[in-house]
Amino acid sequence: MSRVETKQYTESALADMVKNFLVQFKDKSGAFSYVEQIDQMMPKNSKFIIIDYNDLVLSYSEIESRFNENPDEILNAFSRAIKEILQERFPKYAEKIKDEIRARVGNYPVQRSLRQINAEIIGKMTCVSGMVVRASEVKPLAKELTYVCPDHHVTQIFLLKGMSVNVPVKCSNPKCAHRDLEMKPETSKFIDFQILRLQELPEELPPGQLPHYVDITIKQDLVDNSRPGDRIILTGIVRIEQESIVGVSRQSSGLYRLRIDGNNIEFLGGRGIKSSRRTEREEETALMSS
Ligand SMILES: [Zn+2]
Ligand SMILES: [Zn+2]
């Protein structure tokens, strides 16, 4: 599709479009399935809903090219739209979780093998199947850090993208020259963070080759969702992260490593058949009805 054909949406127009989708979409049984998911957030103490990609492109086919170009933008629009709908229905809960609301994308159709994850697809969303071979401990990742100077002025730092935080060198109060700032964990905000290592499935391994692997960063609700030995389809956005080299500081290193920023985890039942993809939600339902 050429540039000219691609409709341009402003950030708020995109949020309106995904909001209309969430409010208006009816599943085969006639239920407003996304409104129902949003209504279940507070009772379940959950901060996410799962969007079936097929539902989305069925309603708004033009969103497909946008998803290819800029998945972050769509996911941000979803966070914003879910927050707005939640605010109308459960204002207190919406306020409490407003910065953590997110959409997981199920059945995303773009699938790559682990060997096809490379620098050409940085910023793109992809699915990759593999076996979890390692899971790090769960660590708190800073989202907002509060620092206090000896005069009790507060300096706040926000983690925008990626993993690094620029530690403030000086108090943010313009009349204050203090440089000895203390971080206050009690008033800072952290989210759960974990790194998974995903390795090529034995049956996808070219003969005579050692398996490749890629590290996945997962946050919030995805943490502790899968364990070593699990065969999963990971959906996420390919990113790069600066890597330190011996003798060179991290900031000036020219070496990067690829990471996938995990958005959703689906478990492989059979051998990579699309219909075998299941989300936890479906598993729960299956358990309840069995
Ligand atoms: Zn100060
Ligand atoms: Zn001072």
Side-chain angles (χ1 to χ4, degrees):
M1 188 181 279
S2 77
R3 277 272 152 200
V4 190
E5 286 170 76
T6 312
K7 270 198 215 163
Q8 296 298 313
Y9 298 94
T10 61
E11 199 183 315
S12 67
L14 193 67
D16 286 346
M17 181 161 91
V18 299
K19 190 176 176 182
N20 286 341
F21 163 73
L22 292 171
V23 173
Q24 290 166 4
F25 182 82
K26 281 190 210 174
D27 66 15
K28 281 181 201 136
S29 66
F32 291 97
S33 48
Y34 293 110
V35 176
E36 285 176 9
Q37 275 199 65
I38 293 171
D39 280 346
Q40 284 300 309
M41 287 172 78
M42 191 181 78
K44 284 182 167 176
N45 196 25
S46 142
K47 295 162 184 169
F48 69 95
I49 65 168
I50 299 176
I51 310 293
D52 188 323
Y53 187 80
N54 300 322
D55 293 347
L56 185 61
V57 293
L58 193 74
S59 310
Y60 295 96
S61 58
E62 65 267 37
I63 213 161
E64 195 149 28
S65 62
R66 293 290 293 229
F67 233 115
N68 287 328
E69 282 170 35
N70 195 344
D72 280 309
E73 182 185 51
I74 309 260
L75 294 177
N76 289 340
F78 265 111
S79 296
R80 183 169 160 174
I82 297 164
K83 185 181 78 185
E84 284 176 17
I85 298 167
L86 195 64
Q87 271 167 344
E88 290 158 15
R89 308 168 85 89
F90 299 97
K92 275 188 189 159
Y93 188 62
E95 181 60 26
K96 187 181 156 200
I97 65 161
K98 63 178 196 283
D99 298 322
E100 296 166 75
I101 296 170
R102 62 185 211 93
R104 288 201 209 171
V105 179
N107 288 315
Y108 192 66
V110 181
Q111 197 148 1
R112 290 184 175 85
S113 79
L114 214 135
R115 280 166 200 257
Q116 292 170 318
I117 305 298
N118 57 36
E120 282 166 32
I121 53 165
I122 291 165
K124 305 293 182 198
M125 193 171 218
T126 191
C127 287
V128 61
S129 55
M131 185 186 281
V132 178
V133 290
R134 191 188 289 177
S136 77
E137 62 176 302
V138 179
K139 297 173 184 177
L141 174 68
K143 292 296 281 181
E144 277 179 49
L145 290 178
T146 306
Y147 292 84
V148 179
C149 84
D151 290 341
H152 309 291
H153 303 129
V154 171
T155 301
Q156 270 193 314
I157 298 294
F158 298 90
L159 180 90
L160 297 172
K161 250 186 181 180
M163 306 267 304
S164 52
V165 173
N166 293 323
V167 176
V169 291
K170 184 184 160 299
C171 178
S172 64
N173 186 311
K175 290 175 188 155
C176 174
H178 275 122
R179 290 174 175 274
D180 47 339
L181 307 179
E182 190 190 343
M183 200 268 281
K184 292 284 179 195
E186 320 80 67
T187 47
S188 297
K189 275 191 190 165
F190 299 89
I191 56 168
D192 286 344
F193 172 86
Q194 192 177 29
I195 296 175
L196 296 183
R197 179 160 289 181
L198 199 62
Q199 186 172 289
E200 268 177 304
L201 293 169
E203 63 268 28
E204 289 178 357
L205 192 61
Q209 301 252 13
L210 287 172
H212 282 203
Y213 64 81
V214 64
D215 284 338
I216 316 289
T217 56
I218 53 170
K219 296 169 203 156
Q220 298 163 288
D221 47 277
L222 285 179
V223 161
D224 267 347
N225 209 287
S226 52
R227 286 176 271 278
D230 284 346
R231 298 156 63 91
I232 63 168
I233 297 178
L234 184 280
T235 304
I237 299 177
V238 179
R239 306 210 190 274
I240 48 169
E241 187 179 288
Q242 225 162 5
E243 196 168 37
S244 47
I245 317 173
V246 180
V248 181
S249 80
R250 200 176 220 240
Q251 285 75 22
S252 50
S253 161
L255 191 64
Y256 289 80
R257 66 157 72 196
L258 288 165
R259 280 276 169 89
I260 303 179
D261 184 2
N263 169 269
N264 195 23
I265 290 175
E266 293 161 304
F267 294 88
L268 276 169
R271 296 185 57 178
I273 313 153
K274 277 278 161 58
S275 59
S276 74
R277 287 176 166 210
R278 315 171 94 200
T279 61
E280 294 161 302
R281 191 165 52 92
E282 285 161 344
E283 276 178 341
E284 270 170 28
T285 323
L287 279 174
M288 286 190 313
S289 58
S290 64

